[in-house]
Structures are given as structure tokens and as C-alpha cells.
Amino acid sequence: MRRGESAERTARQPQRRRWRGTVTAEEYDNYFCSYGELLHQKDMLDDKARMDAYFSAIRGNAANFEGKVVLDLGCGTGVLALFAAQAGARKVYAVEATSVAKHAEAMALSNGLSGVVTVIEGTIEEVGLPEQVDIIVSEWMGHFLLRESMIDSLLFARDKFLKSDGAMYPSSARMFLAPASYTDDELEMKGPTFEQKVEDWNEFVAEWMDAHGLDLSSLTHTYTEEARKAYLGGSQGVEIEVSDLLGPPVCVKEIDLLTATLEECSHVRHDDEALAMKLFAPGNGGEGGSGGRLP
């Protein structure tokens, strides 16, 4: 969806800002430092449903990217920027706030796309772009969609750098709630070994070359050293399964990224009783339903 296709927004009106783009030492320790590690980046790249969706959206719509100027916001290792370049973009600016930007540069070079992709290390609030962009691509979503507050930066980039008829990938987002049940026994952690992580990485690199035509081998040494540090004595997390859900999800928030204001994205208001009735209604996992266990 393009900005020109939506109702005219309150054009360029100042929005309430929570963050101005300057990374403090506390913010770096609590948030940004993990994004500078390939261990964390690989977890995101290994999310097949998410990455396949971005690959299909960009490479499957090459006509929309041909000859265009693209901003990849929060580029990480730069794969979305590379997808855009492969789709025919004239220029791609890949902006990344952490030191992983150096790996994005290595990826662009190793995949022969450094002439199209320019990596800029810094926050979008503090760096400049030499031109307006036709498209913004970004993987900005956090836990429960908004937890990481990166949407602040996304809306800032949209208002400052996106052309009036520009497009955003994605152009909208929805937040869902679903009832779930999880026992203490199910929380037992069974983390992988260091050797398994390295083997998994090597298979992952080969799969990406086959599926997407991108060479990730320039990242192998750093990933292996990070895995050695984290998995030889580190702790692991767990994920819930679909079988732990008591019923289908209910949408509690919808965001049109082409028109949304920061104020609209700063809260989720929902009548508690009405929401509970939706979540635990018969047929949705509640009493008399077939959604699963009750807590």
C-alpha cells in the first residue's frame, strides 16, 4: 500500500516523541548490545515464516522495487536490503544502530551488491540520508508487536524520508491475544549444545544459499565465537507450542503504518469484560468450547 492511496493524514504534524535516537549506556546494555551479536541475529533469520514472508513480499514484487530508492531501517545483517537490491532497487540505504552494521557491509560485499547497498551505522534520528526514499522496509516488530518501541523510529523515518507517494513493507500490523496454559514441568529447559549450534549454523548457511541466493559465510567465524561464549555454560529459553493455546487468537490492535501517529501506537485500550468474553467464549476455548484446557 502506498501513502497516496490512504486518506490524507495530518501532514507532517509534530508527534509526541519518546526517544530522540541517542543511545545511552543503559539503553545499550539493556537492549542494543544483544542486537550487535550474530547469535541474536541468527534467531531472527531462522524464523522461516517471517523471512519467507519478507522474501516473497520483496522479491515477489520486483516491479515495485525496480529503479527505486529503498531504506532498510534497523537492517541487522542486511538481508532485507539485499533482497531489495536483488529485486532491482537503484539504491538501498541500510541503517543499523549497532555494530552488526559491519556484518551488513560484509554481506553486501560478499554478495556483490556493495555498489547498490550503502550501510549506515547509527540511529535513523541521528543520521542523514542524501535523498528521499520510495520504499521503507523494516523488521521492526518486537515481542507482543510493540515491546521494543522501534515503531517510534519507523514513524520518524516515514515522516522525514518517505516520499508522499511512497510505500512501506509491511504497511500494516495487528496485535492478537489468546488464552494459554503452561505447566511448570513444561518449562523445563532443554537447550542445544555448542556443537549443535555450530552444525545448525552451517546447515543454515547452505539453506540460505539454496533458497535465497545469499552467501552468509562471512558471518560464520563471529557466530561460532558468540555461540562458544553463550552455550558453554549459558542459559536457554523456551517457546510455547500451538498445543498450549486454549483457543484461537483475538485481534486487539490494528495499525496502519502509512497513517498512524505515535500517540495511536502508544497504548492498547480494550474493555476487559468484552475482551474476556471474546477470549473465553464457547467455541473459542472457553467453557463449553473445544479450544483446549482451562487454566
Side-chain angles (χ1 to χ4, degrees):
M1 182 177 181
R2 297 183 179 276
R3 295 179 74 184
E5 296 171 354
S6 61
E8 184 176 356
R9 53 196 300 268
T10 53
R12 310 288 178 178
Q13 287 187 358
Q15 297 183 16
R16 180 172 60 83
R17 296 285 301 149
R18 291 187 188 142
W19 189 60
R20 297 186 179 279
T22 301
V23 180
T24 65
E26 181 180 9
E27 287 170 336
Y28 179 82
D29 290 341
N30 293 336
Y31 175 72
F32 285 94
C33 66
S34 65
Y35 284 88
E37 298 177 351
L38 287 180
L39 282 171
H40 187 87
Q41 294 288 332
K42 193 264 184 181
D43 287 340
M44 294 187 289
L45 293 174
D46 209 17
D47 187 333
K48 181 174 174 57
R50 175 167 58 181
M51 297 314 302
D52 284 355
Y54 275 98
F55 181 78
S56 297
I58 297 173
R59 294 289 298 277
N61 291 283
N64 295 339
F65 285 81
E66 183 70 33
K68 298 298 177 61
V69 179
V70 179
L71 166 63
D72 178 0
L73 179 61
C75 71
T77 52
V79 295
L80 300 188
L82 300 183
F83 287 166
Q86 289 177 330
R90 172 176 65 81
K91 188 65 183 178
V92 183
Y93 299 102
V95 176
E96 170 58 39
T98 75
S99 60
V100 82
K102 65 179 181 290
H103 297 307
E105 288 184 317
M107 287 275 287
L109 183 62
S110 64
N111 285 279
L113 294 170
S114 58
V116 176
V117 177
T118 295
V119 179
I120 304 172
E121 183 172 352
T123 63
I124 192 64
E125 291 84 353
E126 294 190 328
V127 303
L129 300 182
E131 57 186 320
Q132 296 291 100
V133 303
D134 300 291
I135 299 172
I136 295 177
V137 297
S138 181
E139 204 296 89
W140 56 270
M141 297 80 79
H143 297 299
F144 203 35
L145 187 62
L146 298 176
R147 179 237 172 198
E148 297 172 3
S149 295
M150 189 180 166
I151 198 167
D152 294 41
S153 297
L154 181 72
L155 300 188
F156 177 90
R158 178 199 67 190
D159 292 342
K160 186 171 183 178
F161 296 114
L162 186 64
K163 294 178 180 178
S164 60
D165 61 347
M168 299 181 73
Y169 286 67
S171 60
S172 63
R174 291 183 292 172
M175 181 186 294
F176 292 86
L177 281 177
S181 178
Y182 214 57
T183 68
D184 290 340
D185 291 340
E186 291 172 311
L187 287 172
E188 181 181 358
M189 291 184 291
K190 301 177 181 178
T193 65
F194 165 69
E195 290 78 11
Q196 289 171 331
K197 293 298 291 185
V198 173
E199 181 180 357
D200 176 64
W201 170 261
N202 291 332
E203 294 175 355
F204 174 75
V205 170
E207 289 171 358
W208 262 74
M209 175 58 78
D210 291 341
H212 305 307
L214 293 180
D215 179 10
L216 276 64
S217 62
S218 62
L219 311 179
T220 297
H221 175 73
T222 301
Y223 180 87
T224 301
E225 292 306 308
E226 289 179 5
R228 188 188 311 279
K229 179 179 179 180
Y231 284 89
L232 297 181
S235 61
Q236 306 302 315
V238 295
E239 299 178 359
I240 65 171
E241 303 294 336
V242 173
S243 59
D244 297 312
L245 299 181
L246 302 176
V250 171
C251 182
V252 297
K253 184 75 173 180
E254 295 189 55
I255 302 173
D256 181 346
L257 295 170
L258 290 165
T259 62
T261 65
L262 184 59
E263 178 63 29
E264 292 169 348
C265 300
S266 65
H267 58 268
V268 177
R269 293 195 178 99
H270 218 290
D271 180 85
D272 291 341
E273 183 176 355
L275 178 59
M277 291 181 67
K278 288 182 181 180
L279 290 172
F280 293 100
N284 196 46
E287 185 177 355
S290 58
R293 301 165 288 168
L294 288 175

